[in-house]
Each structure stands twice: as structure tokens, then as C-alpha cells.
Amino acid sequence: MGADTFGNFIGGRWQAGASEIENRNPSDLSDLIGSYAQADRAQAEAAIAAAREAAETWAASGLETRYKVLMAIGEELIARSAELGELLSREEGKPRAEGVGEIARSGQFFTYYAAEALRQIGDTADSVRPGIEIDVRREPLGVVAVISPWNFPTATAAWKIAPALAFGNAVIWKPANVTPASAWALSEVISRQEDLPAGAFNLVMGSGGAVGQSLIESPDIDAVTFTGSLGVGRRIAQACAQNLTKFQLEMGSKNALVVMDDGDLDVATAAALNGAFGGTGQKCTASSRLIVHRAVHDAFVEKVRAGLQALKVGHALAEGTQMGPVVDAGQLDGNLAYLDLARSEGCTHIWGGERLARETEGYYLSPALFTDTKNDMRVNREEMFAPIACVIEAGDYDEALAIANDTEFGLTAGIVTNSLARATHFRRNVKTGCVMVNLPTAGTDYHVPFGGRGNSSFGSREQGRYAVEFYTQVKTAYIAAGAP
Ligand code: NDP
């Protein structure tokens, strides 16, 4: 491997791939970040064998060993967040502050689960049969395959890898091919943990169709945790059903931000700008549907339009950039197709949606806003994963709630209101896994559960203490002590 060629980490060794891909900066296509290994099916099989071998050793490791390993990874990520955050922003295109924040947050997932490793406390009970005691404890699953997307290339992986390791599992990570540099950087930190046995953590960069498919079809994988699109999630569910492999899916969304007539319009505008356009709209928690009470519709639209006009779109690493480029050419084409669709479906164009030229050649697009949209239009039903928001007018609160719930997805929703009654009713009746009051639909904490309903999620919740449900299995022991 050359100096700018980055390998896979299999069985405790860095290895060249069967081929390589080039990784370019979406803010500056002349900037080559490096060449990254592409595993083939044989290398995926090698990673599975290595993980199987290491799983028992890691499962038998002491809790303090796991604590120390996870704490060291977390602390290094936090300490190096400026450097690694810059790399993340350079390859993914989110503004530097968001990249740095993502690395620091990823570190917090490791430090949080370092402590959780020590908090593995089970249940005891008396049997209904006198003289018998019962001990209920959790044990590791074995080998967990982690399959992650590009939009939060480090954080989505960290919130899976950290609990998987904390609860004593071996890990094989297949990151998204669009963002291999972030995957390699996190893996490099993990690879230096001397107390982690060779094979307990493996990185296999490569295509979803080859490497990903090999992992999900393997009878030697005990569990698959996935974040990505609905289509790939369905394929994973089918493959896992064949071997009865445990799986967990976090997928698409079509999140609604409801703005009521009694809400603070400045709070609503800030929530819409942040929620719909942060991360260039490429967030599973993005509020692409803005459901607005008729009485404040025009005033709200004008405030958001003014906000978008002022929003600075540019190179992810440039000073003052508030929105970076779209991640790659394929994603840009998809975004442009949705802009055409919005116009052809009869939406009124208020702002943006143009290709932008900047000093460097990149996938720049101005943030777009449409009004006069209906909830049954495709732009309001399909996940666009784009800096595009559509306003849907509602006559009253009941109508707004009904529109918010009229979707196949159910990840997050938000309401801007000063009415306690409406906020409470919305919290209790919106059909999503997360709900925000007077806050953007994006932006969640690491110590509490995260996930959705409907076609947004399948399986038990991720993050916080709830993650133990997925990464462990329960054993109930009956003990007859006998006469003393
Ligand atoms: P994809 O579903 O395209 O890819 C996700 C991962 O799956 C990638 O690593 C991909 O590899 C891999 N993959 C592709 N095909 C297969 C296969 N046949 N078998 C196994 N693995 C496969 O999603 P994106 O990366 O495009 O991410 C965007 C999506 O992620 C959006 O729908 C978004 O909503 C969702 N997302 C959901 C979140 C949530 O918590 N609900 C959070 C963040 C994102 P490769 O890259 O090589 O194709």
C-alpha cells in the first residue's frame, strides 16, 4: 500500500483490498483525500472468521478491561476532535463545526458505554419452588456486523460499535463507501487498543452489494445493526430472516415541523432553518415538511426565505460557511430531480434550488423552499435527503397533527407552540419515536434512546441504556443450593 492508500483492518492486521477507490472532497473535486481499500467477499469471510475466533476471548474479558478500552477510544476522539472533525468535513461536506462536533459526540458514545460496561447488573429472584434461587443475566451475542451510512459517518458507527464492544461482542464494521476516511480514522484509533484481542474489531471497507451482502447472508454473524435507506433495510431483513439472525434497522424519514399560530415565529424560523437545512438537509432527522397554521403562514414563509437568503453556502472548511455542498454527484443528481419534481407537481418556488459556483469546483446547491404543497405530493411522501423544504398549510391544530401523522415514516416530529395543552397533546399523539417541542426536529442526546416507528425503524432502540436490549441475550439460571 502507498502512503495515501488506506487498508482494511482484519484479524488485527492492516491489509490491502482486492481493489481501491478514490475519495474526493465534495467541496473541492481537485482535492484527493486518498485511496481506500475495497474488500472482496473472500476478505469479508476472513473478517468473519477472525471475529468468530476473538469473540469468546473478548466476551470473557474483565469489565475493567472493556471500560479502559472504550474510555481510551472516547478520550482520544474527544482530544483529537478538531483534527478528525476537519477530515470528516473535508470528505462529507458538512461545515467544520459540525464535523468537529460529530467527532466529539462520537467520543462521548465511547465514554458513555465505557461506564455502561461496569453497570451490567442482572436480576435475582426466588423460584416458585422452595429452596431454588434464580439468577437472570445478560450475555454477549457473539459477532455483530455494523453497517453504517455516510451522512454521520463517525457518529452512527460509534453509537453501534461502542455498545457492541461494551457488552462483550466482536465487531465487523462495513462503513458507507462514500466516506471511507472517517471510517479509517476511527478504526485506526480502535486498532491501537492493546487490550482488544486481534479480530475483536474489524474494518471491511467495500461495496454494500459485495461486502455488505456477504455479512448479512452469513450464518456466522449473530446480529446485524444497520442505519441507512429503507430499500437496503428491507434487503437486510430478508437476508437475516434466512438464518434467523438478530437485526435492528434505522432507516428513512419524512419528519414534520408543525408551526402553530400561538408559537414564537423566531423560534419557528430558527427550528426550520436548522432542522431542514443543517447538514445540507442530509439528516435522517431533517424536517422536510413544514406544516404551518394558516394565520402565520405568510409571515413564517417570509422569515424563512430571508433566513435562506442570508445562509452562507460554501466550502465546508471555509470560515463562516453555514451549509456545505451535497455529498457526491449521485446525491446531487437526486436532489436536482426532486427540485424538478416539486415544480412539476405544482409547488410554488419561493427560494433557492440552484447550482452554485464557488472558488473550488464542488457539489454546491442553494437551499430551496416551496409553498402551496400538499401532503399527498411525492415531494412530501418520499425522503429527499436534500436541502429542500416544503410548506404545507393547515387550518387548525387537528389538521396539522393529522398531516404530520400521514406518512409511512415516524422518526422525529416537532411543534412550535406556546400552548401547554397543544404541546402535551402533540407529544402524546404524534406517531414518531422522538418528538421535539420548540426545538428543531434534528439534534438528539447520546444517553437516551433514539429511533422511530413505521418504516423508519425496526427492532429495539439504539443509544442510552436501551441499547443493551439489542447487544445482549438473556440467560435465566435456576440454582438449588441443597442442604447446608
Ligand atoms: P444506504 O442504505 O444506501 O447505505 C447504507 C449502508 O448500507 C452503506 O454502508 C451501504 O454500502 C450498505 N449497503 C448497501 N447495499 C447493501 C447490501 N445489499 N447489503 C448490506 N449493506 C448494504 O444509505 P446511505 O448511506 O445512502 O444513507 C442515507 C440513508 O440513511 C437515508 O435513508 C437516511 O434516512 C438513513 N439514515 C437513517 C438514520 C436513522 O437513524 N434513522 C440516521 C442516518 C441516516 P455502500 O455505501 O457501499 O453502498
Side-chain angles (χ1 to χ4, degrees), residues 333-347 353 370 379 384 388:
D333 287 348
N335 288 192
L336 293 171
Y338 273 117
L339 289 162
D340 287 344
L341 179 68
R343 292 188 180 96
S344 71
E345 285 190 305
C347 309
F370 291 92
V379 285
M384 296 189 273
I388 306 172

Side-chain angles (χ1 to χ4, degrees), residues 106-306:
S106 302
Q108 289 170 320
F109 280 113
F110 280 91
T111 55
Y112 173 84
Y113 283 107
E116 282 300 288
L118 294 173
R119 265 187 226 116
Q120 298 184 59
I121 298 165
D123 292 325
T124 58
D126 284 337
S127 167
V128 293
R129 290 165 282 168
I132 297 176
E133 291 182 346
I134 296 173
D135 164 283
V136 183
R137 64 177 57 234
R138 291 182 176 274
E139 295 184 349
L141 298 172
V143 176
V144 175
V146 170
I147 302 180
S148 59
W150 48 262
N151 65 332
F152 284 97
T154 311
T156 51
W159 80 54
K160 296 172 186 298
I161 295 168
L165 291 176
F167 297 124
N169 301 286
V171 168
I172 302 171
W173 180 21
K174 202 315 263 176
N177 242 350
V178 179
T179 47
S182 302
W184 192 91
L186 172 57
S187 300
E188 197 276 330
V189 174
I190 300 174
S191 76
R192 279 187 279 102
Q193 305 309 316
E194 286 175 1
D195 288 335
L196 197 60
F201 171 81
N202 304 273
L203 169 72
V204 279
M205 298 179 283
S207 80
V211 172
Q213 196 70 28
S214 301
L215 296 178
I216 63 177
E217 287 175 353
S218 171
D220 290 325
I221 296 284
D222 298 296
V224 176
T225 175
F226 168 79
T227 298
S229 61
L230 177 59
V232 174
R234 283 207 167 102
R235 211 171 300 161
I236 289 174
Q238 281 165 358
C240 287
Q242 293 305 311
N243 296 316
L244 298 181
T245 304
K246 189 174 186 181
F247 66 95
Q248 171 189 61
L249 312 171
E250 290 297 340
M251 302 170 285
S253 59
K254 199 66 195 170
N255 312 299
L257 176 72
V258 170
V259 178
M260 292 315 300
D261 51 341
D262 58 26
D264 181 324
L265 276 196
D266 289 332
V267 170
T269 304
L273 292 172
N274 175 306
F277 303 101
T280 321
Q282 304 168 137
K283 288 187 185 177
C284 52
T285 48
S287 26
S288 59
R289 292 185 300 153
L290 304 174
I291 303 170
V292 184
H293 193 288
R294 190 161 297 141
V296 292
H297 176 276
D298 292 356
F300 171 77
V301 168
E302 175 47 28
K303 276 177 174 285
V304 175
R305 189 206 59 75

Side-chain angles (χ1 to χ4, degrees), residues 43 79 82 182 255 300 334 375 382 385 395 422 425 429 466 475:
Q43 285 172 317
S182 302
N255 312 299
F300 171 77
N375 198 47
E382 298 173 16
F385 231 51
R422 280 176 172 167
H425 189 272
N429 289 282
Y466 284 61
K475 181 178 279 173

Side-chain angles (χ1 to χ4, degrees), residues 63-120:
L63 297 184
E64 283 197 336
T65 302
R66 291 189 217 161
Y67 169 87
K68 277 187 209 152
V69 166
L70 270 87
M71 195 54 96
I73 297 167
E75 285 179 342
E76 181 170 342
L77 290 175
I78 292 166
R80 292 175 62 200
S81 58
E83 170 207 347
L84 299 180
E86 178 174 315
L87 178 66
L88 194 162
S89 292
R90 187 175 157 213
E91 94 168 336
E92 199 271 350
K94 61 184 65 172
R96 184 194 294 270
E98 291 181 32
V100 172
E102 180 173 341
I103 297 292
R105 171 54 57 93
S106 302
Q108 289 170 320
F109 280 113
F110 280 91
T111 55
Y112 173 84
Y113 283 107
E116 282 300 288
L118 294 173
R119 265 187 226 116
Q120 298 184 59

Side-chain angles (χ1 to χ4, degrees), residues 368-387:
L369 183 68
F370 291 92
T371 57
D372 300 312
T373 81
K374 300 282 173 242
N375 198 47
D376 59 2
M377 292 175 172
R378 274 182 60 203
V379 285
N380 282 320
R381 308 223 62 93
E382 298 173 16
E383 181 179 49
M384 296 189 273
F385 231 51

